[in-house]
Amino acid sequence: MATNFSASHTQDSNEIKEMYCEECDSHTGEYATAVAFCVDCVEYKCKTCKEYHRRHFKSHKVQDSDNMPHDFYLEKCSAHPKQLIKFYCSECCIEACKLCKDNEHVKCSNVNHLPTLASGIQNSDDLKNLQQNLDKLSADIKDTEKLLKAKSEVVVKQEEKATEACKKHKDRLVEAFKQQHQDLIDDFDKKMEETIARLKKERLELVQELSEKEIKFKNKITQAETDMKEEVVSSNTEFKVLKSEHLNLVENLEVLTADLEQTQKLGQNCKHFIKLKSTKQLCGNLHRNIEQIQQAYIQHYKFKMFNIQPTELSLESDTIFFTFVEESAVERKVVFNFDIKCDIDLISSLLVLSEQTLLISYYTKFSIPVIIYDVGTSHANYMDDIKFDAKPFGITKVSDYKVAVTFPDKRMIRMITFSEDMKVLDITKIPGNGYCTGIAYRNPYLVVSYWNPASIKILSMSGEVVKTFDKDDNGQKLFIKPWYLNVSPDNTMIYVSDRKEHTVTCLNYDGKVKAVYKDDQLKRPHQLAVDEYGSVYVCGFHSGNIHQLSSDLTKVKILVDKNDGLDQPRSVAYCPNTKRLFVGMPNKIKVFNVSLE
């Protein structure tokens, strides 16, 4: 039965004992034993192909099995894997298949059938000459081996002599070098003893001198501290006086009330009438005093330490070591700004985790890029990209290396813990209790905004609902689409942006509305940021601006707008340490340096 002929069947294989039909191998890929050879075609044929060939090519000389070449060379051509190598070009000194012969050796005049050329190789002059040449090479190699051995003995003796001389010279040089070092060490030890004695004396003198300067410095800074305390105490003297007057008002009111009750009980109508008139007049004075106290101005200030290096010059010349800066207003201005290119088309939320770490929630992708930026320049580098199975939206800081992120589509919140080098250590899922969007952390709770139904919920860190705010005292809806939220620095107020109502609402933690901000220049408010003084910054997505509001949602100013390069600002974050405001827009984050007016 015919079988497939493998390319592994080579001339050296012990399994191949007979030639196969080239016609069958070429056209059907089957193996068939060759029983004839066409001299004109230079091809081996099986019985069937031989009969077919004789019938159609009657002029061709076909040799039978006894007379055909039996020195088979079954290697395939590397250029034509289906062709056997059957020829040898004596001009090019290279073997060839039929295709190579017809194409590449067409101009060669000495291309012959390989088995025919090899038939007389055993008795050829070439083989005899080659054998003689090999015998001569063998004899030359033996003679060369004897010569190399004799020369090697001379080389070894020379090497031994040179090595011994080199070692002796090396030992002499090393010994001389060691002696020089020892001389240097001995000389240094002598100088060191002299120097130590001198330094001990100088140290004693220095200690005495520094001790005297330390006493002077302590006296100076103690006096500066005393002056500072007096200035701080006197900064709100008027308010403290009013506080004392308030106590007097309370006592006077109690006395007047007691006198009226006494004259009324005793039935002393005349005294009661006179007391009533005098009390009425005093009540007017009391109301004016009360109003004065309620409207009393409190001086705001921030303690500031001067960065003084305690050098000898500063100890003798400087007198101011710390002071406080009055902050009569929290209105801020933009000093200069720069951009961070981030190639993110939809920045949902920004979070300043530290002075050099900015996190972005990227709602159109399933990731949160982590950006590390240099606070001293406008240069920023992507550090990592945290992948998720859902789209992140709101993000808030829980601790220095932990954040909480909302995933509205999954109705869940994830707590992400980082290492100091901002590698993710742990991600914990907690129930979101609805389509959660904005999020803020108020120890030990999470404050979250929701759609459908629109509400604000206070959650425990395990996701349990503690409070829900969705209606006011009259049963009316508080919000239509509460988009983002934030909390005040003292954790007493919640600020919520409503993108449908174009408002910002201030609630306390009992759900009572304290203030509502609505302005024609604020359209589609998005993320909110709050600074250390309680000022609120809100993005106007359609109005293209950032509104600065006081803690009671009074408009301070439009801090930046389209003239400052804003285009559809969606997110905002504030860094209290660097006084920088980060505004997220499509494919860019603008960074504004802000300061008090």
Side-chain angles (χ1 to χ4, degrees):
M1 181 176 64
T3 59
N4 288 334
F5 183 76
S6 171
S8 64
H9 293 166
T10 65
Q11 187 178 9
D12 296 330
S13 173
N14 294 326
E15 298 178 3
I16 299 300
K17 301 299 183 182
E18 55 190 5
M19 186 59 187
Y20 61 89
C21 178
E22 295 180 66
E23 193 78 22
C24 293
D25 178 62
S26 175
H27 294 287
T28 65
E30 296 182 348
Y31 177 83
T33 302
V35 297
F37 177 76
C38 178
V39 176
D40 296 279
C41 297
V42 195
E43 283 186 350
Y44 288 93
K45 309 288 183 182
C46 64
K47 181 178 180 181
T48 302
C49 292
K50 179 189 75 172
E51 297 301 328
Y52 177 84
H53 196 72
R54 281 180 171 172
R55 188 162 55 246
H56 291 277
F57 300 95
K58 296 179 179 180
S59 61
H60 284 199
K61 180 181 180 181
V62 178
Q63 298 174 338
D64 57 17
S65 177
D66 295 333
N67 297 315
M68 71 180 184
H70 287 273
D71 189 5
F72 308 133
Y73 188 70
L74 304 181
E75 296 293 334
K76 295 292 184 75
C77 179
S78 60
H80 308 96
K82 292 185 177 181
Q83 297 290 322
L84 282 174
I85 294 175
K86 298 187 290 184
F87 302 96
Y88 184 82
C89 178
S90 298
E91 293 183 15
C92 301
C93 296
I94 190 171
E95 61 270 19
C97 67
K98 186 176 185 305
L99 294 179
C100 290
K101 172 180 177 295
D102 294 341
N103 296 330
E104 299 177 13
H105 300 276
V106 65
K107 295 182 179 180
C108 298
S109 60
N110 196 7
V111 182
N112 299 294
H113 186 223
L114 183 59
T116 302
L117 288 175
S119 61
I121 191 66
Q122 298 297 334
N123 298 318
S124 67
D125 292 337
D126 285 346
L127 182 61
K128 292 177 181 179
N129 292 335
L130 178 62
Q131 188 62 49
Q132 291 175 0
N133 192 23
L134 290 175
D135 293 341
K136 185 178 182 304
L137 283 174
S138 178
D140 289 344
I141 288 174
K142 291 180 179 179
D143 293 340
T144 303
E145 182 180 2
K146 295 178 181 178
L147 181 60
L148 285 175
K149 184 177 179 181
K151 290 183 177 181
S152 295
E153 292 176 355
V154 175
V155 170
V156 169
K157 290 180 179 180
Q158 289 179 343
E159 289 178 353
E160 290 176 350
K161 186 181 293 185
T163 302
E164 183 180 358
C166 182
K167 182 177 182 305
K168 289 181 179 180
H169 187 60
K170 180 201 72 172
D171 293 342
R172 286 196 299 270
L173 292 177
V174 168
E175 187 62 30
F177 197 70
K178 287 172 61 178
Q179 185 59 47
Q180 290 179 2
H181 279 189
Q182 187 60 47
D183 293 342
L184 290 172
I185 292 172
D186 293 343
D187 185 57
F188 183 85
D189 289 343
K190 182 179 179 180
K191 292 179 180 179
M192 184 175 67
E193 292 175 359
E194 295 173 353
T195 302
I196 290 174
R198 177 176 53 81
L199 288 176
K200 285 183 177 180
K201 181 180 178 182
E202 291 179 0
R203 183 184 182 281
L204 181 61
E205 295 172 352
L206 179 63
V207 168
Q208 293 174 349
E209 181 183 354
L210 293 179
S211 178
E212 294 174 0
K213 288 186 176 182
E214 184 179 348
I215 293 172
K216 291 181 181 179
F217 178 75
K218 285 183 178 179
N219 292 337
K220 185 183 293 186
I221 198 169
T222 300
Q223 184 60 47
E225 181 185 18
T226 301
D227 295 342
M228 181 72 225
K229 288 180 179 178
E230 292 177 356
E231 191 174 358
V232 169
V233 171
S234 64
S235 64
N236 284 304
T237 302
E238 293 181 2
F239 175 77
K240 293 173 183 177
V241 171
L242 290 175
K243 186 176 179 182
S244 177
E245 290 181 0
H246 176 261
L247 295 176
N248 294 333
L249 287 175
V250 172
E251 294 177 0
N252 292 337
L253 183 60
E254 291 177 351
V255 171
L256 289 174
T257 303
D259 288 347
L260 279 173
E261 291 177 353
Q262 183 68 19
T263 55
Q264 186 177 7
K265 287 180 181 180
L266 295 176
Q268 297 173 346
N269 292 334
C270 291
K271 285 186 177 182
H272 187 64
F273 176 80
I274 294 172
K275 186 63 68 177
L276 185 148
K277 293 297 183 180
S278 61
T279 302
K280 184 176 180 181
Q281 183 179 358
L282 290 173
C283 283
N285 295 332
L286 288 175
H287 280 299
R288 286 190 293 275
N289 290 337
I290 290 172
E291 184 178 354
Q292 183 182 7
I293 293 174
Q294 290 177 345
Q295 297 178 354
Y297 172 77
I298 299 176
Q299 175 63 58
H300 293 272
Y301 58 86
K302 181 172 66 175
F303 186 74
K304 181 179 179 181
M305 294 179 293
F306 287 86
N307 187 20
I308 297 175
Q309 296 295 330
T311 63
E312 184 175 359
L313 179 61
S314 66
L315 290 175
E316 294 179 354
S317 60
D318 291 336
T319 57
I320 301 176
F321 304 99
F322 32 68
T323 184
F324 68 89
V325 179
E326 294 185 1
E327 294 179 345
S328 57
V330 293
E331 186 172 353
R332 292 187 176 274
K333 64 179 180 180
V334 176
V335 180
F336 66 92
N337 66 84
F338 58 87
D339 298 342
I340 298 176
K341 294 183 180 180
C342 55
D343 297 327
I344 299 175
D345 56 350
L346 182 57
I347 300 174
S348 300
S349 298
L350 295 176
L351 173 65
V352 177
L353 191 60
S354 68
E355 289 185 13
Q356 291 184 320
T357 307
L358 180 67
L359 302 185
I360 304 174
S361 73
Y362 188 5
Y363 189 64
T364 56
K365 298 290 184 181
F366 296 82
S367 65
I368 295 184
V370 179
I371 291 182
I372 302 298
Y373 66 94
D374 186 352
V375 296
T377 68
S378 61
H379 184 67
N381 294 314
Y382 281 89
M383 179 182 180
D384 202 354
D385 199 23
I386 312 170
K387 303 295 183 182
F388 297 99
D389 59 351
K391 299 176 182 178
F393 191 89
I395 184 169
T396 188
K397 178 179 179 179
V398 177
S399 64
D400 288 344
Y401 297 103
K402 180 180 287 188
V403 298
V405 184
T406 60
F407 292 83
D409 297 338
K410 290 289 186 178
R411 272 67 171 172
M412 76 165 57
I413 298 169
R414 283 183 168 98
M415 306 293 293
I416 306 172
T417 304
F418 299 92
S419 62
E420 291 186 1
D421 58 351
M422 292 307 297
K423 300 298 182 183
V424 176
L425 296 178
D426 181 62
I427 299 179
T428 304
K429 297 179 182 179
I430 63 175
N433 295 288
Y435 194 87
C436 47
T437 54
I439 188 169
Y441 177 67
R442 175 186 182 262
N443 190 21
Y445 302 107
L446 295 172
V447 186
V448 187
S449 58
Y450 293 85
W451 285 12
N452 296 327
S455 63
I456 303 298
K457 295 180 182 179
I458 311 296
L459 307 181
S460 68
M461 296 305 287
S462 61
E464 296 177 355
V465 179
V466 179
K467 294 180 182 180
T468 300
F469 308 139
D470 55 358
K471 296 180 180 179
D472 60 18
D473 293 337
N474 299 321
Q476 300 296 317
K477 290 184 178 180
L478 286 173
F479 312 101
I480 302 299
K481 287 194 180 299
W483 199 230
Y484 294 87
L485 54 77
N486 213 321
V487 296
S488 60
D490 59 0
N491 288 325
T492 60
M493 297 295 169
I494 305 171
Y495 302 103
V496 184
S497 64
D498 192 317
R499 61 174 293 192
K500 190 72 173 178
E501 291 292 289
H502 310 288
T503 59
V504 178
T505 302
C506 176
L507 308 171
N508 64 15
Y509 277 84
D510 291 325
K512 302 295 182 182
V513 176
K514 308 301 291 185
V516 177
Y517 177 74
K518 188 174 180 68
D519 190 280
D520 292 337
Q521 294 179 297
L522 179 66
K523 299 298 182 183
R524 293 285 292 273
H526 278 60
Q527 192 175 9
L528 304 147
V530 182
D531 67 16
E532 67 270 32
Y533 303 107
S535 294
V536 181
Y537 305 89
V538 56
C539 284
F541 178 69
H542 278 181
S543 53
N545 50 28
I546 301 292
H547 287 234
Q548 182 188 354
L549 314 177
S550 64
S551 58
D552 60 355
L553 297 189
T554 301
K555 183 178 181 179
V556 177
K557 65 189 297 186
I558 294 179
L559 188 62
V560 287
D561 57 18
K562 295 178 181 178
N563 294 326
D564 300 294
L566 294 196
D567 180 23
Q568 297 182 336
R570 180 182 293 269
S571 50
V572 62
Y574 176 76
C575 179
N577 294 334
T578 61
K579 303 297 184 291
R580 284 182 171 176
L581 197 69
F582 298 79
V583 182
M585 297 176 292
N587 301 318
K588 181 168 60 177
I589 299 172
K590 289 196 78 66
V591 185
F592 296 93
N593 287 271
V594 294
S595 63
L596 293 174
E597 291 278 14

